[in-house]
Amino acid sequence: MTAKARPKVIMAKLGLDGHSNGLRIVSKWLQDAGFTVVYLGLYNTAEGIIKAAREEDARIIGCSFLEGAHLYYVRRLAALARKYKMEDIRLVVGGTIPPGDVARLKKLGVCEVFTPGTPRSTIIAGLKALS
Amino acid sequence: MPEPGKNYDAYLAGERPPDFMTLSGIELKEFYTAADARRADGPPGEYPFTRGIHREMYRRRFWTRRQQSGFGTPGESNRRMKFLLGQGQTGLNCNPDVVTHLGLDPDFPLAEGDIGLAGTSLSTLEDMEQLFEGIPLDRVSTTIIEQPPASAVMTAMYLLTARRRGIPEDRLIGTIMNDALNQLVGPTIEAVARFFPVEAAVRVGLDVMEYCVRRMPRWNILNINAYNMRETGISAVQEAAFALSLGADYIQRLLARGLGIDDFAGRMAFFCAMDIDFLEEIAKLRAMRRIWARMLKERFGARDPRSGWFRAAIQTSALRLTAQQPLNNIVRATIQTLAAVLAGAQSIHTTSYDEGYALPTEESHKLSIRLQQIIAYESNVTKTADPLGGAYAIEWLTDRLEGEIEALMKKIEDNGGFIACYLQGWVEKQVNEARYEYGRRIESGQQVVVGVNAFREEGEEVKLNLFRQSGGMQAKRKRYIRDYRKNRDGEKAARALGGLYKQAAAPEKPNVFVPIMEAVAAGATTGEIVDTLRKAENFTIRL
């Protein structure tokens, strides 16, 4: 398969929030659907994720949040992506996000927000459309 | 599976469960008879306590209503705790934030985004004093949700807060959770081992237990956190076997310190989940009580009947909360809370319906208390102990679960016990498999979740009045800790930390609880104290 056929996705959690059920399950789904998953797991900084995305030449960064730090970290990710002129990178967020924050995240440049209960097919179709 | 608009077809086809399995994969029969329920247990309050640890159960006293709370600054959490007590909550259950759980201060580089989000930020003795301001520590029982080594710091802070108010430690009632493996998000090495070495954490936890056994007779030394394990998606059988095996590990380690089994066994307790599988969850607690009592008596030679009491703090499963149609969660919580009551729980936290989105608001927190009060006062299920005892299906399931739990415990035991299995990565493998299976079951529709994979309302707009953190809270906490360090007697704190280091680095590994208490009293912070322990273990946080 060509690199384009196996789009590369960074999967990570930021900060100290250790809730990784969603990140694990979705990473597996993406892998099974033909994505190349770079699983960074827990306790990442925004800087670390951006560095990995550049080194890996990833197309998509997928971040999962449960405890409520989503706006704080997405602001940082978006600012760093701008700083390094990563115009092609696509930010995707999953997790426990209050309804009112979905629009806020999109305004910050997030392409897709997948809240709990989103079907696997919706996530895969959404990411395929971005890659 | 029925879908909206196809309900007539579903009716004609015969609307029924997709299969006849429990969540653990036990196949249920068409019906049960007396022949399936062979075992004759004694009455409630008698060994092996299958029917409950007390003869009269809720006739004498209801379970403790113990809603977990904690967010933002200690002052904000204090107001919420007083609110809950005012609504009829009967015990406190306070949750420090993840920064505190990991033994860090708010100004740790990776902490800022998480300060106060899912718990309260507790760095100093004055934080603890503020958290419990106006709350009588000798009259309200408090659970402190904390893992070692931070559990040592929190216990020390709580004890010193009481001491400053003239309440001696032997009058404190409550629990330090103190489970080294499962506090964060269940037993994953990925979550636990990055900030402190696991074996050293177990040891500090034992130091706390040892101190409490000797000095705090009304204080529970350990609450094995089966709930957080379960919330990864493992089964009732795995939850029970993991927790009970871990209990055996702790017992062996405490015995190795020269404590007598009857001195501490009655002070150990469990924190279990109530998932949505009503019958199985009830049978699970009954089976756990039976296994624990037998293990304490036959394997560990306990003589005091209290040593065999399997005491359970229950939280209704948050894994089952849906973001879709959130009011449905109230119905789920009612089923789960009723299951906990029929199973004979000692305390219950009913998860709030809005927690699929955020921490509970005052309003949803109050509803959880009301839900418990309605079961307690109106439903009359509390007026006889173990009302389901003798029900054929319940007794059959209890026996069946007991068998499966014991088989898995044997496997864990043969591999060196739970802590060894955890360190070898076996537990993590089980957890990850369970997570994938959980996702697969919902995705395939094998596990029907109303509002999610069935009866979903496309384009549903959720309108909820959600909890919001106060503005600038995180920056405020960061500023606080910096100012605090500037204004305290730095030399005194440094001296106490030096004393702690000496003790912690000693090759014979003496108990570090007293020097931790001295460091807290001298003004050292949570992060500084745990950093000192890290240094003594030659451990560096790698990010």
Side-chain angles (χ1 to χ4, degrees):
Chain A
M1 249 193 257
T2 63
K4 204 172 165 47
R6 286 189 71 87
K8 205 179 248 187
V9 190
I10 303 260
M11 292 291 278
K13 283 190 68 91
L14 286 132
L16 301 178
D17 171 11
H19 295 86
S20 54
N21 276 355
L23 191 76
R24 279 273 178 185
I25 293 171
V26 175
S27 294
K28 174 94 167 44
W29 285 353
L30 293 179
Q31 228 166 19
D32 293 348
F35 289 84
T36 302
V37 173
V38 181
Y39 183 80
L40 296 186
L42 300 180
Y43 306 135
N44 294 285
T45 59
E47 291 75 9
I49 287 173
I50 291 293
K51 185 165 170 265
R54 297 175 74 205
E55 284 171 5
E56 296 279 349
D57 195 21
R59 173 69 173 162
I60 300 168
I61 295 175
C63 293
S64 163
F65 297 95
L66 183 132
E67 295 192 348
H70 45 278
L71 289 169
Y72 177 90
Y73 278 113
V74 165
R75 273 191 201 105
R76 294 189 161 203
L77 283 172
L80 286 166
R82 266 198 311 278
K83 180 177 162 193
Y84 293 108
K85 304 200 181 355
M86 300 162 76
E87 289 94 359
D88 291 339
I89 197 78
R90 301 284 176 262
L91 283 182
V92 174
V93 166
T96 308
I97 311 288
D101 284 354
V102 174
R104 288 190 185 98
L105 287 171
K106 293 208 165 159
K107 221 171 147 190
L108 288 168
V110 172
C111 304
E112 294 278 3
V113 178
F114 299 120
T115 50
T118 306
R120 169 191 165 122
S121 55
T122 309
I123 297 175
I124 289 167
L127 263 63
K128 284 210 164 133
L130 292 177
S131 50
Chain B
M1 190 195 341
E3 282 168 25
K6 295 191 181 165
N7 294 342
Y8 298 122
D9 297 345
Y11 171 74
L12 290 173
E15 191 177 4
R16 62 189 183 100
D19 61 35
F20 302 104
M21 308 284 218
T22 67
L23 276 179
S24 285
I26 295 171
E27 179 142 21
L28 295 174
K29 295 198 242 177
E30 280 178 300
F31 56 83
Y32 292 88
T33 67
D36 296 304
R38 288 178 305 262
R39 194 182 187 104
D41 276 316
E46 283 182 26
Y47 182 86
F49 309 107
T50 312
R51 305 196 59 192
I53 59 171
H54 304 296
R55 185 178 179 84
E56 292 189 86
M57 288 303 294
Y58 308 129
R59 288 163 65 97
R60 203 175 137 260
R61 182 200 254 181
F62 291 147
W63 62 93
T64 311
R65 263 136 288 147
R66 201 185 284 285
Q67 295 297 118
Q68 199 184 114
S69 63
F71 61 86
T73 64
E76 290 173 286
S77 292
N78 174 267
R79 280 191 292 282
R80 178 65 71 91
M81 293 200 305
K82 284 177 176 162
F83 171 81
L84 293 172
L85 290 171
Q87 298 304 321
Q89 172 158 298
T90 47
L92 293 170
N93 196 0
C94 92
N95 192 18
D97 67 357
V98 68
V99 183
T100 311
H101 284 327
L102 293 170
L104 306 167
D105 282 337
D107 58 345
F108 180 79
L110 196 57
E112 183 173 319
D114 293 285
I115 300 166
L117 287 190
T120 191
S121 173
L122 290 167
S123 271
T124 67
L125 178 53
E126 61 185 37
D127 284 341
M128 189 64 89
E129 290 180 303
Q130 214 180 349
L131 181 63
F132 286 97
E133 187 273 318
I135 293 170
L137 303 182
D138 52 346
R139 285 180 24 233
V140 178
S141 91
T142 295
T143 294
I144 300 173
I145 301 171
E146 194 53 276
Q147 62 177 8
S151 60
V153 183
M154 295 301 118
T155 305
M157 286 177 178
Y158 191 79
L159 209 152
L160 289 167
T161 299
R163 201 179 277 180
R164 285 187 177 185
R165 292 185 198 166
I167 303 167
E169 59 205 44
D170 61 6
R171 277 175 49 209
L172 293 177
I173 39 178
T175 302
I176 182 73
M177 201 167 252
N178 215 9
D179 180 348
L181 307 183
N182 307 312
Q183 190 74 73
L184 292 163
V185 282
T188 66
I189 291 175
E190 188 188 14
V192 178
R194 194 86 73 87
F195 291 89
F196 204 80
V198 176
E199 280 159 287
V202 171
R203 200 178 61 236
V204 174
L206 291 165
D207 287 354
V208 176
M209 295 181 214
E210 200 182 352
Y211 181 90
C212 296
V213 167
R214 296 187 200 280
R215 306 284 293 273
M216 300 165 77
R218 303 174 72 193
W219 189 258
N220 295 310
I221 59 175
L222 173 69
N223 214 351
I224 291 180
N225 193 336
Y227 179 90
N228 287 22
M229 295 199 244
R230 182 68 185 276
E231 288 288 279
T232 60
I234 62 172
S235 70
V237 170
Q238 288 171 312
E239 174 195 354
F242 290 1
L244 293 165
S245 299
L246 179 55
D249 278 1
Y250 279 120
I251 290 176
Q252 283 169 319
R253 283 163 172 75
L254 286 167
L255 291 173
R257 290 190 174 210
L259 293 168
I261 185 76
D262 287 321
D263 296 335
F264 64 80
R267 315 259 300 277
M268 298 169 72
F270 290 80
F271 172 40
C272 290
M274 271 294 122
D275 209 322
I276 195 74
D277 191 326
F278 191 75
L279 300 180
E280 180 168 78
E281 291 298 295
I282 293 169
K284 174 189 79 181
L285 272 205
R286 301 175 96 247
M288 288 178 90
R289 277 197 295 268
R290 193 188 277 162
I291 296 169
W292 184 250
R294 198 166 48 225
M295 182 165 85
L296 265 292
K297 187 177 173 181
E298 292 176 8
R299 179 170 164 197
F300 293 112
R303 296 209 168 157
D304 184 345
R306 282 170 179 250
S307 297
W309 286 2
F310 173 90
R311 295 176 303 150
I314 295 295
Q315 181 170 340
T316 63
S317 168
L319 193 62
R320 301 294 164 195
L321 295 174
T322 62
Q324 294 73 18
Q325 306 173 34
L327 293 181
N328 294 349
N329 294 327
I330 302 171
V331 182
R332 294 189 178 97
T334 306
I335 294 168
Q336 292 164 319
T337 304
L338 183 60
V341 171
L342 294 175
Q346 275 56 61
S347 78
I348 304 176
H349 164 111
T350 297
T351 302
S352 297
Y353 69 95
D354 49 357
E355 291 187 66
Y357 286 109
L359 291 184
T361 58
E362 274 192 0
E363 190 194 20
S364 67
H365 237 154
K366 180 169 79 182
L367 181 64
S368 291
I369 295 173
R370 294 287 177 266
L371 190 161
Q372 292 193 23
Q373 288 162 332
I374 289 167
I375 291 175
Y377 288 100
E378 295 186 17
S379 76
N380 280 359
V381 297
T382 49
K383 293 189 176 176
T384 185
D386 190 31
L388 295 187
Y392 304 141
I394 288 284
E395 296 295 350
W396 180 85
L397 254 181
T398 303
D399 290 351
R400 176 70 190 267
L401 282 168
E402 177 192 3
E404 297 210 1
I405 293 164
E406 286 204 312
L408 185 52
M409 286 173 73
K410 168 112 189 9
K411 196 170 162 189
I412 293 167
E413 201 59 40
D414 289 345
N415 284 294
F418 185 79
I419 294 175
C421 288
Y422 172 85
L423 292 169
Q424 290 153 16
W426 179 83
V427 175
E428 183 131 346
K429 196 165 160 276
Q430 308 300 306
V431 164
N432 282 331
E433 279 169 13
R435 286 165 153 173
Y436 301 145
E437 175 63 10
Y438 169 82
R440 193 195 62 74
R441 282 173 60 88
I442 290 177
E443 200 46 43
S444 68
Q446 202 177 342
Q447 173 76 25
V448 176
V449 185
V450 172
V452 177
N453 62 8
F455 312 106
R456 193 179 174 107
E457 291 165 18
E458 292 309 331
E460 176 197 6
E461 254 185 71
V462 174
K463 289 202 180 83
L464 275 182
N465 182 20
L466 288 175
F467 172 81
R468 280 271 161 205
Q469 297 280 358
S470 60
M473 173 269 293
Q474 298 186 322
K476 194 167 140 193
R477 281 298 294 169
K478 225 169 123 174
R479 243 189 345 265
Y480 161 76
I481 196 68
R482 287 185 175 154
D483 290 346
Y484 171 87
R485 284 202 207 97
K486 246 180 266 165
N487 297 330
R488 72 176 168 188
D489 182 343
E491 255 176 60
K492 194 171 145 200
R495 230 181 0 259
L497 288 170
L500 171 62
Y501 178 80
K502 220 186 256 169
Q503 183 99 341
E508 65 275 22
K509 298 291 173 203
N511 194 312
V512 291
F513 185 73
V514 170
I516 286 175
M517 200 155 60
E518 282 162 1
V520 170
T525 65
T526 303
E528 291 167 339
I529 290 169
V530 177
D531 266 344
T532 304
L533 298 175
R534 287 187 186 105
K535 209 167 85 189
E537 296 294 328
N538 285 314
F539 180 86
T540 329
I541 299 170
R542 288 208 174 76
L543 290 175

